[in-house]
Each structure stands twice: as structure tokens, then as C-alpha cells.
Amino acid sequence: MKFWRSIFAGKTTDAGIIVTISALQFCIGKRSRTIKIANTLESGYIKVAKVDKETGKMLSGAEFVLKDSNGKVVDKWTSTTSSHLIKKLAYGTYTLEETKAPVGYKKINKSIKITIDENNKSKVVKVKNTAKTTVVTISKIDASTGNLLAGAELVVRDKDGKEIARFTTTENAYVLTDLAY
């Protein structure tokens, strides 16, 4: 009576997907039988957090799209104050794009490349946005002549009443920069 067995294991790449193939074969006498073939899709995940560049605070309201290497949309979402998790991603390269910035923040125009593979099954990505800034020019003008007036003391306050500038007008306009949006 003959008896033999062999185990075949390997990896095959099919359109960026790595598959593990296993087979168990045995022979008794003149009969040969295959017992098992198992294919396992190997995958990973990406976790995306949207944060303020200065404070690290989570931001809601940003809109994102994740695309595979062929440009096919894999996921779309709007950020919240929690990270967004995309699971069961086949091995490959993905592109993360911000399509809309949160209110009061500058949109990021550069896409982010992310690779999921055997050595990098999970990625945590922090997308940092910079708050928009505004420039304000202030002048004190004589209502009857339209000329700039010097000597008036002015105070500028934010929406919460906090003083952000105090100045005395001159014959030139006063410029405030880097104001939060």
C-alpha cells in the first residue's frame, strides 16, 4: 500500500490582491484525492483623523474620498469628532482626497498616497488643516469731506468680546492680519 501527501502553499497576486492558496493531497493505493483548497484574502485598514494643525483638536465637517489605484471610489465620508475607519482594504495603493474643508479652515489640495501591504496592514493618517485668516483694513473717515481722520482711539474685539487690537488712528489705514475666520 502506498501513502503520500504533499502540502502546497503560496501567494498569488491578482489585481493587487494577495491570496494564500493551500492544498492537501493524499494517495492510498491507486486513488488520489484532494482534501482542501483555501483562498484567503489578505487585507488591511486605514484610520483617518481630521485635526486642527495648531491645537490637534478633532474637526468635523470635512468631506473625504478614498480611491484605489484605478481611481475607483472605495469610500466617501464627512469627518466627525471621531476617527473614520475603513476596513477590509485589499493590498494596494490608495489616494485620500479632501473634497471640502471644515468651515473656517483652508482646504488641503494635495492628495495623500497610502499603501496597504504585507508589511503595512494598518495605517493611521492625521489630516491637519490650518484655520483661515482674514485681513481687515480700518480707517476713520470724516463724513463730510471723506478724508482720513487722525487721533481717534479705536478698540477691536472678537465675537466673544476679547480685545484683539487697540490703536489711535492716523492719516493712514490701520491693518489687522491673521484674524481667525
Side-chain angles (χ1 to χ4, degrees), residues 1-174:
M1 180 187 310
K2 289 196 288 183
F3 181 96
W4 59 272
R5 73 176 189 172
S6 59
I7 299 172
F8 303 94
K11 293 193 175 185
T12 304
T13 302
D14 180 22
I17 300 172
I18 295 180
V19 178
T20 302
I21 302 171
S22 301
L24 175 61
Q25 185 177 37
F26 68 94
C27 179
I28 300 174
K30 295 180 179 179
R31 290 182 160 178
S32 177
R33 296 198 74 165
T34 299
I35 298 290
K36 177 182 173 185
I37 295 177
N39 293 330
T40 307
L41 173 65
E42 295 188 23
S43 64
Y45 70 86
I46 298 171
K47 190 175 190 178
V48 180
K50 182 65 171 172
V51 298
D52 180 288
K53 185 175 182 177
E54 297 298 318
T55 66
K57 179 182 170 187
M58 297 285 287
L59 299 173
S60 60
E63 293 179 7
F64 287 99
V65 63
L66 183 70
K67 297 178 182 176
D68 66 15
S69 60
N70 296 317
K72 180 182 173 193
V73 174
V74 175
D75 197 9
K76 290 173 90 172
W77 72 96
T78 301
S79 68
T80 65
T81 54
S82 298
S83 296
H84 182 75
L85 183 64
I86 307 110
K87 298 188 232 179
K88 296 183 181 180
L89 292 171
Y91 288 180
T93 301
Y94 295 87
T95 304
L96 177 65
E97 297 173 4
E98 181 178 271
T99 57
K100 181 182 173 190
V103 173
Y105 286 85
K106 295 177 185 175
K107 182 178 169 292
I108 296 175
N109 293 316
K110 183 180 173 188
S111 59
I112 300 168
K113 295 280 187 202
I114 305 164
T115 300
I116 300 294
D117 60 25
E118 190 172 285
N119 298 317
N120 299 293
K121 290 185 178 189
S122 63
K123 292 283 187 168
V124 176
V125 180
K126 281 191 177 181
V127 182
K128 299 176 182 178
N129 278 71
T130 304
K132 288 182 180 179
T133 57
T134 304
V135 176
V136 176
T137 304
I138 302 172
S139 303
K140 176 76 173 169
I141 300 174
D142 183 309
S144 61
T145 66
N147 295 329
L148 293 174
L149 294 174
E153 186 173 316
L154 299 178
V155 176
V156 179
R157 298 183 186 276
D158 68 11
K159 66 180 180 177
D160 298 321
K162 179 182 172 192
E163 184 177 309
I164 56 172
R166 179 182 293 267
F167 62 96
T168 302
T169 61
T170 65
E171 292 180 2
N172 297 311
Y174 184 82

